[in-house]
Amino acid sequence: MLSMFDYWVVVEGHAKNGGSTSWCNNLNLPVNSTDGTCTFLESLMDESPKLFYLSAKRYWQSKDEQVNMAMSVVRDITAKCFLWQVDVDEHWELKDLKEAEHRLSLSGYSQAEFQFNHYVGMDRVAVGDWGSGFVTRLFKWQGEKFASHEPSILEGHSKTYPIKGIKFDHYSYYFPKDVLFKSKYYK
């Protein structure tokens, strides 16, 4: 997916249960990923000037702090852009990204929300309020900070455009190790 965006800003590491995710359980986890993620991102950064990888080598105070660190990097790159908030367990198609930006630019709204295929196992997709809801992922960004990571809200943005017909694939509960982790982390 790196080629699908002008730039990627990845802020890696464990965030404490503060701010908009204060409802999460506080787990005694390593500060940074231990599965090779850091090494992989460092090698990608060496290959691509489009990738900005930040690792604080300390616990982030909250996911809000983490996403706002990414905003400080974006501010160094540009004053305004389409900003996508994409989680590591999401998959998007390039044609959908372009179509969503086009629709948002014509809409008069400052942010867009999407439904997703919420995979909870091989060929199993959750439906209903939890599995079929909308999440905000696209913003017309002009230097704002995030007021909240969960839900994703930029300061001063209030009108959200529900983009229908474009869904992304979300694998947050697909892999058994992720299900085990989230069963401990989320209350």
Side-chain angles (χ1 to χ4, degrees):
M1 281 184 31
L2 185 60
S3 64
M4 295 167 58
F5 295 94
D6 293 334
Y7 294 97
W8 273 81
V9 178
V10 178
V11 182
E12 191 272 339
H14 181 66
K16 292 182 180 179
N17 61 335
S20 65
T21 54
S22 61
W23 54 272
C24 296
N25 289 312
N26 194 16
L27 302 177
N28 185 23
L29 297 172
V31 170
N32 295 101
S33 298
T34 59
D35 62 357
T37 297
C38 299
T39 304
F40 175 70
L41 287 169
E42 288 166 357
S43 69
L44 275 182
M45 194 170 64
D46 290 341
E47 296 172 18
S48 176
K50 296 172 59 164
L51 175 66
F52 294 83
Y53 164 60
L54 301 165
S55 178
K57 308 291 187 217
R58 65 167 176 82
Y59 290 110
W60 297 98
Q61 292 304 306
S62 66
K63 289 189 181 214
D64 303 330
E65 179 193 20
Q66 207 169 8
V67 294
N68 281 315
M69 178 56 70
M71 294 303 85
S72 66
V73 173
V74 176
R75 273 186 220 94
D76 289 341
I77 298 169
T78 186
K80 65 181 184 175
C81 65
F82 282 116
L83 176 72
W84 284 89
Q85 188 260 301
V86 177
D87 289 348
V88 68
D89 54 12
E90 296 176 6
H91 174 79
W92 291 82
E93 295 290 334
L94 180 58
K95 66 179 178 47
D96 293 337
L97 297 172
K98 289 180 177 182
E99 177 64 21
E101 289 176 358
H102 175 72
R103 288 194 207 175
L104 183 59
S105 68
L106 298 175
S107 72
Y109 289 79
S110 62
Q111 57 192 24
E113 62 184 8
F114 303 83
Q115 287 185 299
F116 51 93
N117 299 311
H118 198 160
Y119 286 91
V120 292
M122 181 67 73
D123 299 323
R124 291 188 178 156
V125 178
V127 294
D129 291 341
W130 184 72
S132 303
F134 281 84
V135 291
T136 306
R137 289 295 188 257
L138 173 60
F139 306 87
K140 288 181 185 174
W141 182 80
Q142 298 183 37
E144 303 92 341
K145 290 176 51 178
F146 274 95
S148 168
H149 166 70
E150 195 166 317
S152 298
I153 300 170
L154 283 179
E155 291 177 345
H157 290 234
S158 59
K159 292 175 62 177
T160 305
Y161 178 54
I163 294 190
K164 304 212 175 164
I166 295 177
K167 282 183 152 184
F168 64 94
D169 292 330
H170 198 191
Y171 295 95
S172 59
Y173 289 92
Y174 183 83
F175 296 102
K177 66 181 177 74
D178 293 335
V179 174
L180 180 62
F181 167 76
K182 290 176 182 191
S183 70
K184 295 176 184 174
Y185 187 61
Y186 296 128
K187 291 183 182 178

